[in-house]
Amino acid sequence: MASGNETAEPLAKGIIATARQAWGDLFRWKQRVVVTNELGESHTEWHAPEKLRNPISLFMLLSAQDWIYFLVGLFAWTADAFDFHALAIQTVKLSNYYGRTKTDISTAITLTLLLRSVGAAIFGLLGDRFGRKWPMVANLIVLGLLQIATIYSATFEQFLAVRSLFGLFMGGVYGNAVAMALENCPTEARGLMSGILQQGYALGYVLAACANLGVGGGTETWKTVFWIAAGLSIGAGLLRCCFPESKQFRAAKAAGLHVSAGDFWKETKSMLAKEWRMCLYCIILMTWFNYYAHTSQDSYTTFMLESKELPNDAATRASILMNTGACVGGTIIGYLSQFIGRRRAIIGAALISCCLVPAWILPETESGLSASGFMIQFFVQGAWGVVPIHLNELSPPAYRSTFPGLAYQLGNMVSSPAAQIVNAIAESHFVISKSGKLVDGYGPTMGIALAIVAVGIAVTAALGPEKRGRSFERAGPAGANIHGNIEKVMENVSMVDSKLHVATEVETKNEV
């Protein structure tokens, strides 16, 4: 039956053809969408974007169970971010404690980021194979224990070894948390909920900075912040134990469907053969994004302490306000992406952040640095706010734990030297501070790096695909989709979900 929408050319095949088509679609307001009818026949149409809806009405589309999954996923991601930033914002303290340079301490950040991709692959595949719940629980509890092990690291070598293990387990959290939080969100609410979810990263930074501010600037006080981080991670893991497995895996179990290891790997190989270009594109995009975050955040507290000569409490307050801007920007731009499109939201935010670089690095006072930090992170994390749902929509439906987590963490792996590069360049180039002393050149280093990366993000997004509004709720667990009775499994999922969403879906269709 005809839908009444304008027919569009089919999706291009091949890297160059896809990039050319993506560039052209960027300047057309309607979105190219593949539509499949009841007979399994597909064609491509132009669809007008959804109208902006009141955020409160979008919140009301989520059932109580959807909110539980979302909030647990957000808490896990926040705890994960707190764990990571507990080290990044205390580089100076750790440098004094171990008697090493700040560049040496940032080696721990590099090792953490390098091994996160290994953890993403292991725990992402476990999450898609056996369910989201227990891989995530194990991840979070072990992370907390490794934070405690960091506190008791007597030598710098022990410290680096523990942080390497920490990176391995940290890598598994993101994919499972994002999949659990977003896989059951109604389509209309995805952009808004994605923006909120991603800001768990910024919220983790804010909480870590508040903890740092509370314990003071003494060298030994870094251990207290790590104790808090351990408590959050273990608490998040125990909290996840209290709630059931995701709907798809419960439905598969109820239907008596057994997915063997052979089935799982057969479908995985088929997915990689078909989607390798998409995998490569998402890794490149996330490499840019991770450089974007790490060059703008990891050394910012050090920049204010060393280059701007602020006291510890002032630098920490400015960091808190900076990441408050991140929380606000990520939520707002994530919400707008549902209307203007994922790629347009990313490109616009990246280019605006590029323009704000001078205002970001030139102020000398706490108030000036706080205001400019708020604005730069509004757009940096604004672009990031689109990432969780953009990656989920680009992912093969059965691999929404492995694919986003692995793409994100492989990007992290490639960008892992970011903090070391910034610190090394800054410590070898000097600027004159407001007191007239030569200080490390963190400002120019971070500003130039951010501008380069922002342009890279804009170009990559402009030439890449977008699948806003893609339906993935009815996909079975990985390995189940090669079975002929997968329809039975998905029918069970629909029965579980229909009572929760049918009224809102009918209302939405009537409005359209």
Side-chain angles (χ1 to χ4, degrees), residues 184-207:
N184 296 307
C185 280
T187 302
E188 302 92 325
R190 286 181 190 169
L192 175 62
M193 303 311 290
S194 171
I196 296 172
L197 176 66
Q198 181 58 35
Q199 297 329 301
Y201 181 84
L203 181 59
Y205 188 108
V206 170
L207 294 176

Side-chain angles (χ1 to χ4, degrees), residues 120-121 124-129 132 175-176 178-179 183 248-249 259-275 279 391-407 470 472 475-482:
L125 288 169
L126 288 173
D128 284 327
R129 172 73 172 87
R132 320 286 188 219
N176 281 314
V178 168
E183 64 186 352
Q248 287 85 344
F249 288 90
V259 179
S260 67
D263 293 336
F264 178 79
W265 289 113
K266 183 177 180 180
E267 186 172 339
T268 301
K269 291 176 184 177
S270 175
M271 180 274 292
L272 290 172
K274 183 180 178 182
E275 302 283 357
C279 295
L391 283 181
N392 259 260
E393 289 172 337
L394 294 178
S395 298
Y399 293 86
R400 294 190 312 278
S401 181
T402 305
F403 189 96
L406 191 56
R470 183 186 190 186
F472 47 59
N481 300 284
I482 63 173

Side-chain angles (χ1 to χ4, degrees), residues 46-117:
W46 290 109
H47 283 196
E50 301 171 8
K51 294 180 179 179
L52 275 177
R53 295 181 57 176
N54 186 322
I56 302 301
S57 70
L58 296 177
F59 288 145
M60 293 176 67
L61 294 177
L62 277 72
S63 68
Q65 189 177 61
D66 293 340
W67 272 112
I68 288 172
Y69 282 126
F70 178 82
L71 291 174
V72 172
L74 175 62
F75 181 39
W77 180 221
T78 301
D80 194 39
F82 188 108
D83 288 340
F84 177 77
H85 290 301
L87 189 152
I89 66 173
Q90 298 187 107
T91 301
V92 174
K93 292 182 186 178
L94 287 161
S95 174
N96 294 332
Y97 181 82
Y98 285 109
R100 297 283 185 145
T101 66
K102 295 182 288 295
T103 302
D104 288 340
I105 297 299
S106 62
T107 303
I109 298 176
T110 302
L111 291 172
T112 297
L113 296 178
L114 278 171
L115 287 167
R116 276 166 68 169
S117 58

Side-chain angles (χ1 to χ4, degrees), residues 156-240:
F156 183 64
E157 289 72 23
Q158 292 175 2
F159 172 76
L160 291 181
V162 172
R163 298 313 290 180
S164 299
L165 282 174
F166 174 84
L168 179 67
F169 284 89
M170 185 180 183
V173 174
Y174 182 80
N176 281 314
V178 168
M180 182 182 71
L182 295 180
E183 64 186 352
N184 296 307
C185 280
T187 302
E188 302 92 325
R190 286 181 190 169
L192 175 62
M193 303 311 290
S194 171
I196 296 172
L197 176 66
Q198 181 58 35
Q199 297 329 301
Y201 181 84
L203 181 59
Y205 188 108
V206 170
L207 294 176
C210 288
N212 184 48
L213 181 63
V215 301
T219 299
E220 295 279 346
T221 59
W222 69 269
K223 296 180 180 180
T224 306
V225 178
F226 273 67
W227 276 114
I228 297 171
L232 285 175
S233 292
I234 294 172
L238 295 176
L239 181 63
R240 181 65 184 97

Side-chain angles (χ1 to χ4, degrees), residues 345-358:
I346 290 171
I347 293 166
L351 293 180
I352 293 173
S353 72
C354 188
C355 297
L356 288 173
V357 165

